[in-house]
């Protein structure tokens, strides 16, 4: 929780909390932040010009191999949450994102996911193909912002 | 709601209500009864000797083409629900089930789903293969009970 | 399925299909259309000036007492679905909506939900308070469109 | 992933993978392991004699403040998964569990959740009441096994 805010401009996705995402405690169910992180990843891919369906058509899957979430304040029904994300690290075989979820100025949750690059058919590890390396480079560049 | 209880012995599956299945109103989220109906269908297939994975390996999918649920009393966190189901109708191309969800003696919900028989690859309608006809026959027989 | 399209202009909500809303059959899981209907209802309330959280603060809950969905074509990952909804009927103690889900011109699903008006604390039936009657009136008016 | 297996006997819960828990990649959606961890926690509470509903009636909530999951092999439709869990640490204000998910001998996922002890009404931190301390003590004792 004490980790410094990542550098560079994040990619922001807005998510409205749905009824079914809350639980009997009256707050967003804890597993749902991982769903929100996924929504943000899919929107980042789209913003970079390669929708998730096209990634899959190219025979690539990017499964999470690790996920972490820290819960700071409860999200609630109908909240408009902003999910900010940063590419943290990108290698030939894996990459990771960090996330911050906010409601206005309030920090709701932070997270991190690490992803493998695998062939969609048999889930075998792959080296990132050129277009994916280039795309991850742009994800990082986007965050570094103009210089 | 006023329909008569179906004839024959139902197939019963017990389901424990999970935290994430409740919502901020403190009750089971309404869409989740359709999940419970699916759990019951999968257990019925298993009881008849053909697990869902084997149905799929045989190239068959049984997608819902219609679903209905009537909500009588709210289900709640950690309730142990009994889902009773009956094969209502079975034809060459489609079949339907009815369901009753109870908590002890209290009726919680009733439902009905209708399913098509399609090829798993392209979702084209199929005539029920022999083994599936036979299986649906046993589903009906099971309900009719011994004579 | 053969029912005529409801009259009047529908209220439209756009929904992007999320990864977790698909299942191993590669399509949108059947219960998720009920989630989409709920998203549409919440957006309709917002458009009419009374967010769902305010409905609840006023001590009212509007639980589904019945839900129906007919599945016409499978929705798929990352589809941008349009959910059109109409107020079908509004009485003192209950009201109902109909829905049509489309991907472009293709009809994906149709549905209907009926809702009770209850006190949020004990879920006892209530007569619709004035503001809710007025709001449902505007929901209908909106659909009837200008004359 | 290289952390040593926790000491003591774990508490085991069996979970059958449901259709809706899979996604279009044909595997268990990554957020669902957090649901499975919750099912295991609720079953542990029950085994220790205090069902989750009774915890809540006593005015206590035990929200996750942190969750981690590492994905080793994909879980699949209809898998019967064993979730083993250990109480890792228990303090006056928080406690944590570790988890291992297996399909037969294969390790599918590992995880860890940390929980705060809060008042259910306002979510303010509490010191663990005596009965909860005692219950967590037994959770640990159970794992240490008979001496």
């Amino acid at each position: 929780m004490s980790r410094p805010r990542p550098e560079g401009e994040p990619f922001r996705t807005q998510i409205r909390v749905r009824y079914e995402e809350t639980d009997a405690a009256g707050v967003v169910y804890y597993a749902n932040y991982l769903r929100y992180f996924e929504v943000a990843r899919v929107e980042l891919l789209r913003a970079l010009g390669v929708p998730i369906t096209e990634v899959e058509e190219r025979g690539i899957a990017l499964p999470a191999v690790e996920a972490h979430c820290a819960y700071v304040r409860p999200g609630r029904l109908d909240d408009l949450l902003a999910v900010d994300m940063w590419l943290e690290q990108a290698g030939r075989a894996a990459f990771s994102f960090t996330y911050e979820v906010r409601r206005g100025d309030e920090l709701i949750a932070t997270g991190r996911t690490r992803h493998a690059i695998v062939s969609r058919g048999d889930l075998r590890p792959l080296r990132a193909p050129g277009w994916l390396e280039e795309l991850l480079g742009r994800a990082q560049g986007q965050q570094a912002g103009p210089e």
Side-chain angles (χ1 to χ4, degrees), chain A:
Chain A
M1 305 298 305
S2 57
R3 85 185 154 66
R5 196 162 205 249
E7 285 178 32
E9 276 306 298
F11 177 78
R12 172 165 289 196
T13 304
Q14 308 253 29
I15 295 177
R16 180 72 74 175
V17 173
R18 300 177 180 178
Y19 222 117
E20 48 101 2
E21 293 164 359
T22 60
D23 64 22
V27 302
V28 173
Y29 185 68
Y30 86 131
N32 289 334
Y33 293 92
L34 270 60
R35 296 186 184 176
Y36 298 163
F37 298 161
E38 173 111 36
V39 171
R41 290 195 299 274
V42 166
E43 290 310 318
L44 174 61
L45 286 173
R46 192 187 326 283
L48 291 170
V50 188
I52 181 69
T53 48
E54 201 171 317
V55 172
E56 302 207 331
E57 276 159 28
R58 293 179 188 185
I60 300 282
L62 305 169
V65 291
E66 217 172 321
H68 178 264
C69 191
Y71 306 92
V72 183
R73 280 181 193 78
R76 295 190 186 276
L77 177 59
D78 213 41
D79 277 352
L80 187 59
L81 300 178
V83 181
D84 289 336
M85 72 183 284
W86 292 261
L87 181 68
E88 188 192 50
Q89 216 180 16
R92 298 305 302 257
F95 56 93
S96 58
F97 294 110
T98 54
Y99 309 84
E100 291 182 3
V101 182
R102 284 190 159 70
R103 176 181 51 213
D105 289 339
E106 292 182 299
L107 186 63
I108 300 296
T110 64
R112 182 176 176 278
T113 60
R114 204 161 65 85
H115 299 266
I117 300 164
V118 304
S119 119
R120 204 185 152 211
D122 56 9
L123 306 180
R124 299 260 157 207
L126 290 180
R127 281 179 59 150
W131 63 267
L132 182 56
E133 264 198 311
E134 186 268 339
L135 182 149
L136 291 170
R138 280 193 292 135
Q140 207 138 34
Q142 185 186 42
Q143 290 162 204
E147 279 165 298

